[in-house]
Amino acid sequence: MRENQQKTPQRFPAELSDASGDAQRKKRFRLPQLTRRSFLAWVGAGGAATAMSPHEVLAAAPAAEAVEQAPGVAVARLKVNGVMREADVDVRTSLLDYLRETLQLTGTKKGCDHGQCGACTVHVNGRRVNACLSLAAMHDGDEIVTIEGLGTPDNMHAMQAAFVAHDGMQCGYCTAGQIMSAVALLKEPCGGTDADVKEAMSGNICRCGAYSNIVSAIQQVRKA
């Protein structure tokens, strides 16, 4: 027997349909996740925030976060030879490598890289320092002087001229560090004898053995 039944279209339950629609609407109009940082960025925008919707402000928050310093990187602001320099450096970068590799001031030499030869001697706030044992990030705001800032071939420092006059160098590799230490020595307490000068300069090694000429050059400037 044939039943004359009319088929009705199959429909989802009303509650399921509504839930699905809500999910779609939430997905479509979902705002970025609110974090403490994005909230502060929103509040700190001040007057500008009044012209922007919360969605626009929060969407712009990641761009503001991008300017943060990368882990392990520091901003070094050093006054080098009278010029203020600023650069992002790895926190492990030595002052020596910063001067040589970043600023291209290669007059300061890398000798032992262990603070034993003095070839890397520079002045930090008027005091001599082994640049290989000091981190660039430690000297933010300090004043650094290298051999390039001491004098020029046309206008040499008195110590540079004395080294030339007394032939206080042979290969020349240690000469920059020797001169920087000798100039700092002029302001340090030191006896008047050659033995006193040798003791004060003991941190600077000359592998060529020009020590007697170096001492003569230093004594000439001290007695001038």
Side-chain angles (χ1 to χ4, degrees):
M1 180 176 166
R2 202 174 209 184
E3 294 182 1
N4 199 6
Q5 294 180 350
Q6 185 178 2
K7 294 184 178 180
T8 58
Q10 195 171 18
R11 296 179 181 177
F12 290 103
E15 60 274 11
L16 179 60
S17 177
D18 292 342
S20 176
D22 289 343
Q24 292 294 329
R25 285 191 293 272
K26 289 178 181 178
K27 182 177 181 181
R28 183 177 178 183
F29 298 104
R30 184 178 298 164
L31 292 175
Q33 183 179 5
L34 182 62
T35 64
R36 178 177 178 273
R37 185 172 296 164
S38 59
F39 175 75
L40 291 176
W42 183 8
V43 174
T50 60
M52 301 173 63
S53 69
H55 179 77
E56 292 172 328
V57 173
L58 292 174
E65 294 175 8
V67 302
E68 287 187 351
Q69 206 66 43
V73 176
V75 178
R77 304 175 186 86
L78 285 70
K79 190 174 184 180
V80 182
N81 298 332
V83 179
M84 185 60 69
R85 307 276 191 161
E86 180 175 332
D88 292 339
V89 298
D90 190 299
V91 294
R92 300 165 295 181
T93 302
S94 69
L95 179 59
L96 174 60
D97 287 338
Y98 172 75
L99 294 172
R100 289 181 58 83
E101 305 298 333
T102 303
L103 301 186
Q104 301 299 308
L105 296 173
T106 56
T108 304
K109 297 296 187 285
K110 178 178 284 195
C112 64
D113 215 21
H114 287 80
Q116 297 176 351
C117 72
C120 65
T121 304
V122 298
H123 294 173
V124 177
N125 298 330
R127 300 181 62 183
R128 50 177 164 169
V129 168
N130 287 332
C132 72
L133 296 183
S134 189
L135 298 175
M138 294 171 53
H139 295 289
D140 187 40
D142 287 346
E143 185 169 354
I144 314 296
V145 178
T146 69
I147 191 68
E148 291 90 347
L150 199 62
T152 65
D154 297 328
N155 185 25
M156 290 191 292
H157 187 280
M159 190 64 72
Q160 291 173 308
F163 265 68
V164 172
H166 289 270
D167 195 21
M169 76 290 289
Q170 289 189 35
C171 77
Y173 198 84
C174 74
T175 305
Q178 297 276 4
I179 291 175
M180 296 304 291
S181 279
V183 171
L185 175 63
L186 299 177
K187 300 178 182 179
E188 296 172 359
C190 179
T193 67
D194 289 355
D196 294 325
V197 173
K198 291 177 182 179
E199 177 63 27
M201 292 291 294
S202 60
N204 291 80
I205 296 175
C206 175
R207 292 177 174 86
C208 300
Y211 293 113
S212 60
N213 295 349
I214 291 173
V215 172
S216 297
I218 296 172
Q219 290 290 54
Q220 174 184 307
V221 177
R222 295 184 75 200
K223 296 174 182 178

